Amino acid sequence: MKKLLLTTAALALSTGFAMADTVRLGTEGAYPPYNFINDKGEVDGFERELGDELCKRAALTCEWVTNDWDSIIPNLVSGNYDVIIAGMSITDERDEVIDFTQNYTLPDPSAYLAASAGVDVKTGVIAAQTGTIQASFVAESGATLVEYATPEETVAAVRNGEADAVLADRAFLAPIADDDAALELLEQMELIGGGVGLGLRESDTELKATLDGAIKSMKDDGTLNAMIDKWDIGLTF
Amino acid sequence: MSCFQTVQDYALRSIGIGERLLPRDNFTLCDQITLIGSGMIWNIYFGAFALLTGFMLATAVALGKASPNPLLRKPSEWFIFVFRGSPLFIQFFFAYFFFLSLKMVSPFFGVLTSAWLGALIVLFLNTAAYSGEIFYGALRSIPKGDVEAADAYGFSGLARFRRIIWPTMLRLAWPAYTNEAIFLFHATTLVFFSGFPVWQQRGDALYYAKYFADKTFNPFVPYPILAGYFILLTLGVITCFGLINRYLNRHLPQEARRRLKIRMNMIR
Amino acid sequence: MFSFCSDPAALDGLNWLSCYLTTTKHMQLYYAVATVLLLLAITAPTALAFGFGGAMAARSHLLPVRWFGKSYISVVRGVPDIAFFLFFVIALDQGFEWMRHQVLCPDWDQPVRQGNDFVVCQAAKLPLGSAPQWVHETYGFFLAVLTFAIVFGAFAANVMFGAMRAVPRAQMETAEAYGMTRSQSFWRILVPQMWVYALPGLSNLWMVLIKATPLLFLLGVEDIVYWARELGGTANPRFTEYPHGDWRMWYFLGLMVFYLGITRVSEVFLEKLMRKLSHGQATTGGESQRKAAA
């Protein structure tokens, strides 16, 4: 009897998603520790672990898809996957086009990685990835912005002296600074963006509610904080 | 803000004149058309200069490849093979890498790492290789009679080349060369897309189209605008080259002047 | 891959390299090489078919068909392929889903466009939401092939349109004199002979097609360039068992050799084909073959 009940519950849950049997999670796969491709060629990182846990809690079957950062939102609204889980900060302009769940990281200040501590970030040459909130920030700050297509190239630009510093999420830059003695993080940080959330189509209200609930439960029982600590993402809730 | 104001602010934004900040919200069609049009300045600049400079080298390479002397022939063959055989973006990657290492040696070379010169050099070499192959093909198909007639009239050496061989080669190669020019202009979109960094948001048409696609999350407006600009540019190139073609064939009787057909059997 | 690869940190030299080059991630690079070759093999005949159709349309006696053919050729050729790829695949995908939506869900009452969202009924989704990953990948691959074929079909149409006009007029007149109908003379005389005129242009097109494959990632297919970037980028010891610096240069060098390789092979093959096609043709090539044989 108990078993039967469980199945019906599962059925009731899944009928809500009869429309979406498999939930496809879209990520970039080039932004460690949030998401990256590991030696096995699979999506790995903080968001992989988080996404799998969320799917387990919400009783969803999930599948991982990688997509180029530039077209990650157009492909979501066009229905090629159902959720963006790619370290995407919640911003007003993005929020106009897609919906976000509640944030699963606290706003992480963006940091500068530079070759020397004496860089003046207000007047120097600052590298950023094209199309990121950091690029918009530098464009407005008065520093000379130089944009590269990939995160890898922005760091390379500092290594080879093309730029004085690179502005990116602290969690992305910290392991690089640890690994390379020639580079260091500046004291100054910039608070841009409002934490990272899952991006969904505005019409997918049901899925949004489910995932919101799952994130809430992970926040409540502390599993989310443990994950944030494990991957060194930043402040905990 | 009126459209006129937008044009004033942004028509020359791609070369750093006008408003410093790009529009950030309420993107109008006028914004998009103006800024993407502004970016076309770079595409035209790269295309036109690479074409002009590449033309000279292409002639030299074609002559080199047709030369019986292996010291001239082998390098020309390899030059054409390497630049025609590898994707342009790999050439950009290596060029940027190479220019950076030159910069380490001496800051004198620093200017090479900026797109206006560095990317121009790559495009110049690239188009020289493609046009060189086209010119080489044309050289081989110059009617034997023309050369013999030149010999009979006592032309030799440079005079024969300048008066007979070179003009004939151009006439034969022109349709294919027009196509090469069109492709070169298209290839200029790769410069900032996957080659050189963009400084202070001064990019080409594709850069601004991407900027808008990125801000509005709607690819269906900026990219068709970009496509429209390029169709216009292509038409312009065809017209220009058609005029030159008429000039090259001015000696022929009216009906024998083959109109420049964009069929070209040697497209790139 | 190999049994001694269990602890990469302890390895060095060739052992390390042999383990490194056989990680699953590298396997995906090698797999991507096969994908690219497969794409080329499928796209080439498809683009040829598009080109043939386009050229026939441009020669049509019906004005609308001719206009369609000519505008297809000139519009697609006028646009840089990157710009085309950046929005066309999404449009194509939405177009397919919209058509299926109209057929499969006639009683759907919500609008397809809800604000920015493009929403079709679940049954119209391509591929279906329940489909396994490989179906999605195959569908993406199919879209990429179709997009490439449409773009390169326009160029091929242009070449073939010219080639059809280059077939000597006398040949067609002879066909008419023998009492062949328009379609007979087209299929029996024009088509077999046009290839020799089209081949130089088509072989150039093939070379361009090879070099356009790095744009595949824009179409959502993970191609060799994607993996080369991914593998060549600095590998931080925290995220991999095989840390290394910025090795993109070596990977790109490998790619360059790969591309030069297929270019060379194609050149040799096309040269042979040209010689075969020229046989017995009234061109300089055919003439010199005749002389050499005599």
Side-chain angles (χ1 to χ4, degrees), chain A residues 18-22 24 28-30 32-33 36-42 63-68 71 74-75 77-80 96-97 150 152-153 156 159 175-176 179 201-204 230-232, chain C residues 23-26 28 86 90 93-94 97 114-119 122 125-126 129-134 136 217-218 220 222 226-227 229-230 232-242 244 246 248:
Chain A
M19 38 177 266
D21 321 49
T22 316
R24 290 163 58 78
E28 188 197 6
F36 58 94
I37 309 288
N38 65 14
D39 290 336
K40 292 204 187 75
E42 293 161 350
E63 208 149 3
W64 289 87
V65 193
T66 48
N67 197 93
D68 196 29
S71 60
N75 272 308
V77 295
S78 156
N80 289 343
E96 275 173 28
V97 183
T150 58
E152 171 77 27
E153 285 165 294
R159 284 208 180 95
I176 300 173
D179 188 44
R201 279 184 294 275
E202 286 181 328
S203 49
D204 262 357
K230 175 183 166 196
W231 290 98
D232 196 14
Chain C
T23 55
T24 324
K25 204 168 172 181
H26 274 87
Q28 276 171 318
L86 281 171
I90 298 182
D93 180 39
Q94 292 190 353
E97 291 191 345
Q114 301 178 9
N116 298 293
D117 295 4
F118 177 83
V119 185
Q122 210 55 40
K125 279 249 168 224
L126 261 183
S130 56
Q133 181 61 19
W134 69 267
H136 283 275
F217 190 58
L218 294 181
E222 286 169 359
Y226 167 77
W227 286 112
R229 257 187 226 282
E230 181 61 43
T234 313
N236 193 289
R238 273 191 56 196
F239 308 119
T240 172
E241 296 189 320
Y242 300 91
H244 60 74
D246 187 351
R248 282 178 302 164

Side-chain angles (χ1 to χ4, degrees), chain A residues 3 10 25 130 217:
Chain A
K3 195 165 184 188
L25 307 176
T130 316
S217 81

